[in-house]
């Protein structure tokens, strides 16, 4: 019997289109004699499209409207053996969809409710990782109500961290809503922008100078393994949305040209983080490395990283000896494994 896989893609976040291109790659790669894959596209409004409309949306690369309410969509999901929620950002990577699938009794690829939700929230993840001794930049949590009622107290917290600092919505990705505030004057617009997207905002001290950005793939459930380490290089001031999604703005270097001690430490920290956050299946763990000072910080854990054939996560595994189709097959196996 072929395994019937429901591939969820699209979704309500700013990474809707990225998710659809990842899904097209997965659909092509899964061996058809072993798997029967049905794509189900979630529109930007959060509705679940019928199979015909899903295939069309997949080709078009986006779905604005149309489709069923989530609950009737979930009912349809019951006809499948495994769900692959290839969704990025809020309402997909943050535990919401994982909760729905858990309620429906469906096995799915990737982290469960806890691992997804905690990893998605940059502040919550940092608190957990700090308890496990993982090195991170200094940070402060600010709530929208605090910014409205006592802005001077928020500015005081920023001063403690020092400028420049990064201002980020706690629960987004793809650099959406992130600013580098170079001075107190730049802080207000940065906070206004971040609070227009999230109730929770993180202020982060900047590394001493522009860091090198190193990433590693983790694969497995309770006994995960780490891939080789890769590096992203770009000319921009930081890895913003434009740099991430404009062809030719950034290059990938695998394996990253760093001393062996650094890549080994990164792989070890990534596995510690994966376990501490209760991740499952897969995660891409991102680091900052400042060569001049030897600073190495864990930046973030992405529980559903970009997954096109040219994305960092699959490329890291390819360089570690696991090709794209084998990787996807392994993820399905991990989803079906009893934990
Ligand atoms: P996202 O989840 O949207 O990818 P990140 O926290 O990874 O958000 O931040 C996006 C980018 O901003 C990073 O890849 C890096 O280029 C830059 N950046 C973020 N925080 C810092 C920091 N504390 N110091 C230096 N650069 C940072
Ligand atoms: Mg992220
Ligand atoms: Mg990032």
């Amino acid at each position: 019997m072929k395994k019937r896989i429901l591939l969820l893609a699209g979704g309500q976040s700013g990474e809707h289109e990225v998710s659809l291109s990842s899904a097209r790659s997965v659909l092509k790669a899964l061996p058809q004699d072993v798997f029967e894959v049905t794509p189900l596209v979630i529109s930007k409004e959060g509705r679940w499209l019928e199979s015909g409309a899903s295939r069309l949306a997949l080709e078009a690369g986006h779905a604005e409207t149309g489709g069923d309410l989530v609950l009737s969509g979930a009912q349809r999901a019951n006809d499948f053996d495994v769900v692959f929620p290839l969704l990025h950002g809020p309402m997909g990577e943050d535990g919401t969809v994982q909760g729905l699938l858990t309620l429906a009794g469906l096995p799915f690829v990737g982290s469960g409710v806890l691992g997804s939700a905690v990893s998605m929230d940059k502040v919550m993840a940092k608190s957990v990782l700090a308890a496990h001794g993982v090195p991170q930049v200094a940070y402060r949590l600010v709530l929208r109500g605090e910014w409205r009622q006592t802005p001077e107290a928020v500015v005081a917290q920023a001063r403690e961290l020092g400028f420049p600092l990064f201002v980020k919505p706690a629960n987004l990705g793809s650099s959406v809503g992130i600013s580098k505030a170079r001075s107190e004057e730049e802080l207000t617009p940065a906070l206004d922008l971040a609070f227009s997207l999230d109730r929770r905002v993180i202020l982060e001290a900047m590394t001493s100078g522009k860091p090198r950005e190193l990433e590693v793939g983790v694969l497995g459930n309770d006994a995960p393994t780490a891939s080789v380490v890769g590096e992203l290089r770009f000319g921009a001031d930081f890895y913003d949305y434009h740099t991430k999604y404009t062809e030719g703005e950034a290059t990938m270097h695998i394996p990253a040209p760093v001393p062996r001690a650094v890549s080994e430490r990164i792989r070890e920290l990534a596995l510690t983080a994966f376990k501490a956050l209760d991740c499952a299946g897969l995660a891409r763990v991102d680091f900052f490395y400042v060569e001049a000072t030897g600073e190495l910080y864990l930046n973030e854990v992405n529980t559903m990283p970009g997954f096109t054939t040219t994305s960092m996560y699959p490329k890291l595994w390819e360089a570690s000896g696991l090709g794209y189709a084998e990787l996807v097959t392994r993820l399905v196996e991990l989803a079906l494994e009893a934990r």
Side-chain angles (χ1 to χ4, degrees):
M1 266 278 273
K2 283 191 195 181
K3 284 265 170 302
R4 298 162 306 166
I5 299 180
L6 182 69
L7 182 62
L8 292 180
Q12 294 174 70
S13 80
E15 291 156 290
H16 176 95
E17 285 84 2
V18 183
S19 160
L20 289 177
S21 53
S22 295
R24 279 194 300 273
S25 295
V26 169
L27 201 60
K28 271 199 213 118
L30 273 173
Q32 307 238 328
D33 49 332
V34 191
F35 300 111
E36 185 184 305
V37 190
T38 307
L40 193 162
V41 173
I42 300 176
S43 74
K44 289 187 180 174
E45 291 178 342
R47 302 250 169 157
W48 296 35
L49 302 188
E50 291 298 341
S51 58
S54 285
R55 295 219 178 245
L56 287 176
L58 208 55
E59 271 162 45
H62 62 98
E64 307 298 323
T65 56
D68 286 339
L69 283 174
V70 171
L71 286 179
S72 41
Q75 209 164 21
R76 270 195 284 143
N78 268 315
D79 296 334
F80 298 88
D81 301 309
V82 185
V83 179
F84 192 155
L86 195 43
L87 304 161
H88 309 299
M91 304 292 183
E93 191 179 349
D94 62 352
T96 49
V97 168
Q98 289 73 13
L100 181 77
L101 298 173
T102 304
L103 275 175
L106 285 161
F108 56 90
V109 170
S111 295
V113 172
L114 180 64
S116 300
V118 177
S119 302
M120 186 84 238
D121 188 288
K122 293 183 191 299
V123 179
M124 205 59 84
K126 277 198 165 51
S127 323
V128 172
L129 295 178
H132 287 260
V134 174
Q136 303 174 97
V137 295
Y139 67 94
R140 301 280 187 280
L141 164 70
V142 190
L143 302 176
R144 192 188 272 142
E146 295 172 340
W147 177 230
R148 282 194 190 138
Q149 281 149 36
T150 51
E152 60 292 342
V154 175
V155 174
Q157 302 222 56
R159 259 189 228 125
E160 278 170 28
L161 292 172
F163 293 93
L165 57 79
F166 278 82
V167 181
K168 316 177 183 180
N171 288 280
L172 280 180
S174 285
S175 300
V176 174
I178 296 185
S179 313
K180 179 174 167 184
R182 290 161 187 83
S183 62
E184 246 174 76
E185 293 70 63
E186 290 183 7
L187 190 62
T188 299
L191 280 162
D192 285 341
L193 171 67
F195 279 122
S196 71
L197 301 165
D198 203 338
R199 228 189 84 245
R200 291 159 62 77
V201 163
I202 183 169
L203 304 178
E204 269 187 34
M206 194 191 159
T207 51
S208 55
K210 185 176 163 178
R212 285 176 69 180
E213 307 215 11
L214 304 173
E215 307 193 339
V216 65
V218 179
L219 178 68
N221 286 333
D222 290 351
T225 53
S227 71
V228 297
V229 174
E231 175 168 17
L232 278 163
R233 290 194 190 158
F234 45 85
D237 190 31
F238 72 95
Y239 200 34
D240 58 10
Y241 186 90
H242 173 81
T243 311
K244 281 182 182 172
Y245 297 117
T246 311
E247 188 79 42
E249 289 287 309
T251 51
M252 255 186 260
H253 302 263
I254 304 173
V258 292
R260 198 184 156 81
V262 173
S263 56
E264 284 310 308
R265 177 86 178 118
I266 284 176
R267 297 173 74 219
E268 184 191 330
L269 286 169
L271 293 175
T272 299
F274 190 90
K275 289 182 208 163
L277 295 167
D278 194 30
C279 295
L282 74 166
R284 196 194 69 227
V285 187
D286 301 347
F287 291 82
F288 295 142
Y289 174 52
V290 186
E291 210 168 348
T293 57
E295 283 164 84
L296 178 66
Y297 302 111
L298 190 151
N299 171 33
E300 62 161 345
V301 176
N302 297 286
T303 52
M304 193 52 77
F307 216 94
T308 69
T309 45
T310 57
S311 298
M312 181 62 105
Y313 184 83
K315 284 284 173 202
L316 288 170
W317 281 107
E318 193 182 285
S320 310
L322 197 64
Y324 193 89
E326 290 82 13
L327 174 62
V328 177
T329 304
R330 182 76 193 119
L331 287 172
V332 171
E333 282 167 13
L334 287 167
L336 290 166
E337 195 175 83
R339 288 182 78 199

